[in-house]
Amino acid sequence: MTKIKIIIVLALLGLGLHQSYGQTYKFSTSSLSVLEKNQKGNWGKWSDLKLVNILVKLDTDKSRIIVYSEAIQVFEIVDYIPLEENETDSLYSFTCKDNNGEDCTLSIITRKKQDNRKQLYINYDDRIILYNIFNYK
Protein backbone atom coordinates (compact mmCIF):
# COMPACT_ATOMS: atom_id res chain seq x y z
CA MET A 1 0.00 0.00 0.00
CA THR A 2 2.81 2.44 0.81
CA LYS A 3 4.47 1.69 -2.54
CA ILE A 4 1.29 2.74 -4.33
CA LYS A 5 1.13 5.97 -2.29
CA ILE A 6 4.77 6.73 -3.07
CA ILE A 7 4.21 6.11 -6.80
CA ILE A 8 1.13 8.38 -6.80
CA VAL A 9 2.99 11.15 -4.96
CA LEU A 10 5.97 10.88 -7.34
CA ALA A 11 3.65 10.94 -10.35
CA LEU A 12 1.86 14.05 -9.05
CA LEU A 13 5.18 15.75 -8.32
CA GLY A 14 6.37 14.90 -11.81
CA LEU A 15 3.24 16.42 -13.32
CA GLY A 16 3.55 19.49 -11.11
CA LEU A 17 7.16 20.07 -12.13
CA HIS A 18 6.47 19.61 -15.84
CA GLN A 19 7.66 22.67 -17.74
CA SER A 20 6.03 23.99 -20.84
CA TYR A 21 8.20 25.32 -23.63
CA GLY A 22 5.54 27.34 -25.47
CA GLN A 23 5.44 31.10 -25.33
CA THR A 24 2.95 33.92 -25.31
CA TYR A 25 3.54 36.99 -27.46
CA LYS A 26 1.55 40.19 -26.94
CA PHE A 27 0.99 42.98 -29.40
CA SER A 28 -0.95 46.22 -29.41
CA THR A 29 -2.70 47.55 -32.47
CA SER A 30 -2.54 51.11 -33.72
CA SER A 31 -4.84 50.98 -36.74
CA LEU A 32 -7.20 48.78 -38.74
CA SER A 33 -8.18 48.51 -42.40
CA VAL A 34 -10.45 46.07 -44.25
CA LEU A 35 -10.47 44.84 -47.85
CA GLU A 36 -13.53 43.02 -49.20
CA LYS A 37 -14.56 41.28 -52.39
CA ASN A 38 -17.56 42.73 -54.20
CA GLN A 39 -20.54 40.75 -55.53
CA LYS A 40 -18.59 39.92 -58.71
CA GLY A 41 -15.76 38.40 -56.65
CA ASN A 42 -13.28 41.21 -57.33
CA TRP A 43 -11.30 42.86 -54.58
CA GLY A 44 -12.41 46.38 -53.75
CA LYS A 45 -10.25 49.03 -52.11
CA TRP A 46 -8.78 49.10 -48.63
CA SER A 47 -10.91 51.04 -46.18
CA ASP A 48 -9.46 54.15 -44.59
CA LEU A 49 -7.26 53.36 -41.61
CA LYS A 50 -9.18 53.50 -38.35
CA LEU A 51 -7.26 54.18 -35.15
CA VAL A 52 -7.70 51.27 -32.73
CA ASN A 53 -5.87 50.26 -29.59
CA ILE A 54 -6.51 46.61 -28.82
CA LEU A 55 -4.48 43.74 -27.45
CA VAL A 56 -3.52 40.78 -29.65
CA LYS A 57 -2.14 37.66 -28.00
CA LEU A 58 -0.36 34.76 -29.74
CA ASP A 59 -0.36 31.84 -27.30
CA THR A 60 1.70 28.93 -28.61
CA ASP A 61 0.93 26.87 -25.46
CA LYS A 62 -2.76 26.84 -26.34
CA SER A 63 -2.25 27.13 -30.13
CA ARG A 64 -4.43 30.17 -30.52
CA ILE A 65 -4.41 33.84 -31.37
CA ILE A 66 -6.83 36.18 -29.62
CA VAL A 67 -7.75 39.66 -30.83
CA TYR A 68 -9.37 41.51 -27.93
CA SER A 69 -11.60 43.71 -30.08
CA GLU A 70 -15.12 44.74 -29.03
CA ALA A 71 -16.25 41.29 -30.16
CA ILE A 72 -13.37 39.07 -29.05
CA GLN A 73 -11.93 37.08 -31.96
CA VAL A 74 -10.40 33.69 -31.10
CA PHE A 75 -8.42 31.85 -33.76
CA GLU A 76 -7.47 28.23 -33.08
CA ILE A 77 -4.18 27.46 -34.83
CA VAL A 78 -4.54 24.36 -36.99
CA ASP A 79 -1.11 24.54 -38.63
CA TYR A 80 2.06 26.55 -38.16
CA ILE A 81 3.36 27.53 -41.61
CA PRO A 82 7.18 27.74 -41.89
CA LEU A 83 8.77 31.18 -41.81
CA GLU A 84 9.01 32.89 -45.20
CA GLU A 85 11.69 35.51 -45.51
CA ASN A 86 13.07 37.74 -48.23
CA GLU A 87 14.97 41.05 -48.43
CA THR A 88 11.97 43.15 -47.47
CA ASP A 89 9.73 40.98 -45.24
CA SER A 90 9.60 38.23 -42.64
CA LEU A 91 6.30 36.35 -42.73
CA TYR A 92 4.97 34.11 -39.95
CA SER A 93 1.68 32.48 -40.96
CA PHE A 94 -0.85 30.23 -39.28
CA THR A 95 -3.75 28.26 -40.71
CA CYS A 96 -6.64 28.86 -38.31
CA LYS A 97 -10.31 28.42 -37.52
CA ASP A 98 -12.15 31.38 -36.04
CA ASN A 99 -14.91 31.51 -33.38
CA ASN A 100 -17.48 30.50 -36.01
CA GLY A 101 -15.43 27.59 -37.37
CA GLU A 102 -14.54 29.52 -40.54
CA ASP A 103 -11.14 28.80 -42.10
CA CYS A 104 -8.66 31.66 -42.35
CA THR A 105 -4.96 32.39 -42.45
CA LEU A 106 -3.30 34.79 -40.03
CA SER A 107 0.04 36.30 -40.94
CA ILE A 108 2.37 38.47 -38.92
CA ILE A 109 4.58 40.39 -41.30
CA THR A 110 7.66 42.38 -40.33
CA ARG A 111 8.54 45.01 -42.93
CA LYS A 112 12.34 45.03 -42.76
CA LYS A 113 12.84 48.14 -44.88
CA GLN A 114 10.21 50.11 -42.94
CA ASP A 115 11.95 50.17 -39.53
CA ASN A 116 10.70 46.61 -38.84
CA ARG A 117 7.06 47.74 -38.84
CA LYS A 118 4.72 44.84 -37.99
CA GLN A 119 1.33 44.02 -39.45
CA LEU A 120 -1.25 41.33 -38.72
CA TYR A 121 -3.31 40.11 -41.68
CA ILE A 122 -6.42 38.00 -41.12
CA ASN A 123 -7.20 36.47 -44.53
CA TYR A 124 -10.58 34.97 -45.39
CA ASP A 125 -11.78 33.99 -48.85
CA ASP A 126 -13.91 37.14 -49.17
CA ARG A 127 -12.20 39.67 -46.89
CA ILE A 128 -8.88 40.66 -45.35
CA ILE A 129 -8.53 42.46 -42.03
CA LEU A 130 -5.28 44.34 -41.48
CA TYR A 131 -4.00 45.55 -38.13
CA ASN A 132 -0.83 47.59 -37.76
CA ILE A 133 0.76 46.17 -34.62
CA PHE A 134 3.71 46.74 -32.31
CA ASN A 135 5.17 44.80 -29.40
CA TYR A 136 3.11 45.18 -26.23
CA LYS A 137 4.86 46.99 -23.41
Side-chain angles (χ1 to χ4, degrees), residues 26-120:
K26 293 182 180 179
F27 304 95
S28 290
T29 65
S30 60
S31 55
L32 157 75
S33 184
V34 178
L35 177 66
E36 295 181 293
K37 283 187 178 179
N38 61 26
Q39 293 175 343
K40 294 181 180 180
N42 298 321
W43 290 105
K45 293 182 180 179
W46 284 101
S47 67
D48 291 336
L49 281 175
K50 177 182 176 184
L51 298 179
V52 293
N53 182 14
I54 33 184
L55 177 67
V56 175
K57 187 165 78 170
L58 165 59
D59 188 339
T60 58
D61 284 333
K62 296 180 180 175
S63 290
R64 67 181 180 190
I65 298 170
I66 303 172
V67 179
Y68 290 94
S69 55
E70 192 173 308
I72 295 175
Q73 303 167 66
V74 179
F75 301 92
E76 295 296 330
I77 299 172
V78 176
D79 189 27
Y80 291 80
I81 299 170
L83 169 68
E84 294 179 37
E85 197 159 16
N86 58 41
E87 290 180 13
T88 59
D89 299 320
S90 293
L91 176 69
Y92 294 92
S93 294
F94 313 88
T95 302
C96 299
K97 284 204 179 284
D98 69 8
N99 309 41
N100 302 318
E102 192 173 353
D103 293 330
C104 56
T105 302
L106 275 70
S107 300
I108 297 173
I109 301 175
T110 301
R111 306 288 184 189
K112 294 178 185 178
K113 292 187 176 182
Q114 297 177 19
D115 293 326
N116 290 322
R117 181 170 65 105
K118 290 181 176 49
Q119 296 180 306
L120 170 65

